Amino acid sequence: MALLFICEGEDPTEWETALRTEIPDLDFRVWPENVGNPDDIDIVLTWQPPRALLASFPNLKAILSLAAGIEHILRDPELPPGVPIARLIDPGLQTGMLEFVTMEVLRHHRRASEYQDQHRTGDWKLLRQTLSRDRRIGILGLGHLGAACGEMLTRFGFPVSGWARSQKDIPGIKSYAGEDGLFSLLEQTDILVCLLPLTPDTEDILDATTLGALPRGAALINAARGKHIVDDDLIEALDSGHLSGATLDVFRTEPLPGDHPFWSHPKITLYPHAAAWTLPESAAPVIADNIRRAYHGEELYGRIDVRRGY
Ligand code: NAP
Ligand code: GLV
């Protein structure tokens, strides 16, 4: 029984140590230097596997993502059919996202960027404060991350609404679903947080039409994937004054090319895909649990529906 770690550019040492703490006799191998016989590989633990690589392991029992998102696996047109794939559901990742979204919602809510600008220009001026109960938060995606962020934000007194494929019953969060539901949510959102998975249905979802449906002065936080946003439409919405600002953690091309207009846009706060990391010390117990499940032929925790795309 062997696990193959496929994550170019990531040091596998910490992962090997953390997983061996959970499963001491784990046969931990690393692509490409230490694959051994491809027939031995039962489980792959991966971020952005090269195309067609996974199909070269004939006895694969499970594909485990090192990330919550799994589009980096599903983009492979030669995925081995029938092998279950699990996204990562990790308490550390959730905590990281809670911190990030809370931080950025509060920054927009308390006009932190404007105060920073005033600091630079030596301007002493109070900007009108808004009560949290008068700042409406809309969350796209009410899954493991979106629902937790929504619940956290209700504790500050923000009215929180969320949109998902299916109707939700989450205390304190107004739930919307379907296309009509999307526009109903957007029309009453002052700070929009995107925490959707990237699928054919959600790609380019934040375009001129949806951004235009937000009230004038709204702000956007995208901590999901860059391809959710039509970049030119976002710039237009910011330049026209329709949107007051945007926090972007994820981009169509990463690293974001040096000449991309997002870098220098005065209304954009930019992070290098840093919202929530997968840390071995938090994720290893969850991954080890899925390794055991795969070995015993049990359903994977966080198994995704390949047809649905998440
Ligand atoms: P999840 O638990 O799978 O939740 C996804 C949510 O999106 C669900 O509520 C789902 O609705 C909803 N959804 C999916 N397709 C939809 C559609 N077409 N229309 C409406 N709602 C739709 O995912 P998660 O663990 O919360 O993670 C969300 C995403 O965050 C990941 O896919 C990843 O891209 C991103 N992420 C980013 C970072 C970062 O550092 N920037 C870190 C971690 C994750 P249902 O509940 O009805 O199925
Ligand atoms: C990070 O982007 C993740 O999907 O976990």
Side-chain angles (χ1 to χ4, degrees), residues 9-264:
E10 170 102 3
D11 180 358
T13 324
E14 266 191 89
W15 282 102
E16 183 170 3
T17 307
L19 286 172
R20 285 245 173 83
T21 306
E22 301 291 326
I23 307 176
D25 58 350
L26 182 69
D27 181 358
F28 184 94
R29 303 188 191 181
V30 179
W31 180 85
E33 57 268 33
N34 172 28
V35 176
N37 182 352
D39 292 359
D40 296 346
I41 306 301
D42 305 288
I43 294 173
V44 152
L45 177 61
T46 189
W47 166 249
Q48 297 190 333
R51 279 171 199 227
L53 178 64
L54 300 183
S56 63
F57 306 112
N59 298 317
L60 213 50
K61 294 182 180 59
I63 298 168
L64 307 182
S65 173
L66 274 163
I70 38 78
E71 80 292 340
H72 62 102
I73 294 172
L74 295 183
R75 67 184 179 170
D76 183 351
E78 292 173 50
L79 269 186
V83 178
I85 303 172
R87 74 188 205 277
L88 185 63
I89 302 180
D90 162 26
L93 204 63
Q94 190 188 57
T95 301
M97 191 57 83
L98 284 174
E99 292 168 353
F100 182 84
V101 168
T102 304
M103 169 174 78
E104 288 304 303
V105 163
L106 291 177
R107 281 190 61 259
H108 288 287
H109 173 58
R110 295 304 307 265
R111 308 174 69 172
S113 295
E114 290 167 81
Y115 278 119
Q116 271 164 1
D117 291 345
Q118 290 188 180
H119 179 176
R120 274 183 221 107
T121 52
D123 215 355
W124 179 278
K125 196 170 83 194
L126 280 174
L127 302 171
R128 182 160 182 91
Q129 191 181 330
T130 299
L131 292 172
S132 59
R133 69 175 188 215
D134 295 326
R135 187 84 73 190
R136 301 159 299 177
I137 312 294
I139 302 184
L140 303 182
L142 283 177
H144 184 63
L145 300 178
C149 289
E151 283 171 339
M152 172 68 87
L153 292 169
T154 61
R155 294 190 216 164
F156 289 88
F158 295 111
V160 178
S161 302
W163 182 67
R165 257 172 39 134
S166 52
Q167 200 73 33
K168 304 287 179 209
D169 185 11
I170 306 172
I173 300 182
K174 198 166 172 189
S175 167
Y176 293 92
E179 189 160 348
D180 290 349
L182 173 61
F183 283 88
S184 304
L185 174 133
L186 294 172
E187 283 160 14
Q188 45 167 306
T189 288
D190 300 311
I191 301 177
L192 183 69
V193 180
C194 181
L195 281 171
L196 287 165
L198 181 65
T199 70
D201 289 337
T202 65
E203 184 163 347
D204 294 337
I205 192 166
L206 296 170
D207 62 5
T209 307
T210 47
L211 295 175
L214 290 164
R216 191 169 177 83
L220 169 69
I221 298 169
N222 186 17
R225 287 294 182 260
K227 287 184 179 172
H228 287 127
I229 294 182
V230 177
D231 292 1
D232 289 346
D233 292 1
L234 173 61
I235 288 173
E236 171 59 31
L238 291 165
D239 287 346
S240 70
H242 184 68
L243 292 188
S244 58
T247 296
L248 306 177
D249 181 56
V250 284
F251 304 91
R252 288 185 166 261
T253 304
E254 294 182 3
L256 183 66
D259 59 352
H260 195 288
F262 284 168
W263 277 112
S264 55

Side-chain angles (χ1 to χ4, degrees), residues 257-310:
D259 59 352
H260 195 288
F262 284 168
W263 277 112
S264 55
H265 199 288
K267 288 184 174 176
I268 290 179
T269 302
L270 192 151
Y271 293 84
H273 200 143
W277 285 32
T278 302
L279 296 169
E281 59 269 36
S282 159
V286 183
I287 292 169
D289 176 51
N290 259 343
I291 294 171
R292 292 189 197 98
R293 285 170 187 247
Y295 282 172
H296 294 118
E298 293 167 9
E299 181 79 349
L300 298 178
Y301 180 55
R303 181 172 180 177
I304 60 111
D305 178 340
V306 174
R307 276 169 311 144
R308 216 174 48 166
Y310 71 100

